[in-house]
Amino acid sequence: MALITCPDCKAQVSTDASKCPHCGARTKPKSKVWMWVLGAPLALFVFFAIVGSNSPDADAKRQARAVIDVCMSDMKDPLKPAQTREAARWMCERLRDDFVRKYGVQP
């Protein structure tokens, strides 16, 4: 058991004491365990979210979704001729089926 100086009142306090017996000031720093318990999983989640969103597969999936969106807007455009809308419907179905086959989810 060693003695340290209280940072507030400068009295001698045991290293085993959590508070100064003279002024009640904390002599031991607060535990930082909670920061590790919450911070480490959060940091890992953010890291994998950033890495996963920048992968070539994610870029290809985003691009395929954008193409399907354009196709769907052409299919629903009432100003387009009926034949063009029918061709767009066929192409949209094909693109959607290819997307599901490749990625296993709906676009």
Side-chain angles (χ1 to χ4, degrees), residues 1-72:
M1 173 176 104
L3 294 177
I4 58 171
T5 303
C6 173
D8 286 354
C9 69
K10 309 296 183 219
Q12 295 293 312
V13 181
S14 168
T15 55
D16 294 335
S18 61
K19 292 183 179 180
C20 174
H22 303 286
C23 68
R26 287 186 152 275
T27 57
K28 292 184 179 180
K30 291 183 179 180
S31 174
K32 306 274 185 198
V33 172
W34 66 270
M35 285 181 30
W36 285 103
V37 169
L38 296 176
L42 180 64
L44 286 173
F45 174 76
V46 169
F47 173 76
F48 285 117
I50 291 170
V51 170
S53 67
N54 291 333
S55 70
D57 191 44
D59 290 340
K61 192 185 275 190
R62 263 193 299 274
Q63 188 175 14
R65 280 188 176 128
V67 169
I68 292 171
D69 288 343
V70 169
C71 183
M72 294 299 285

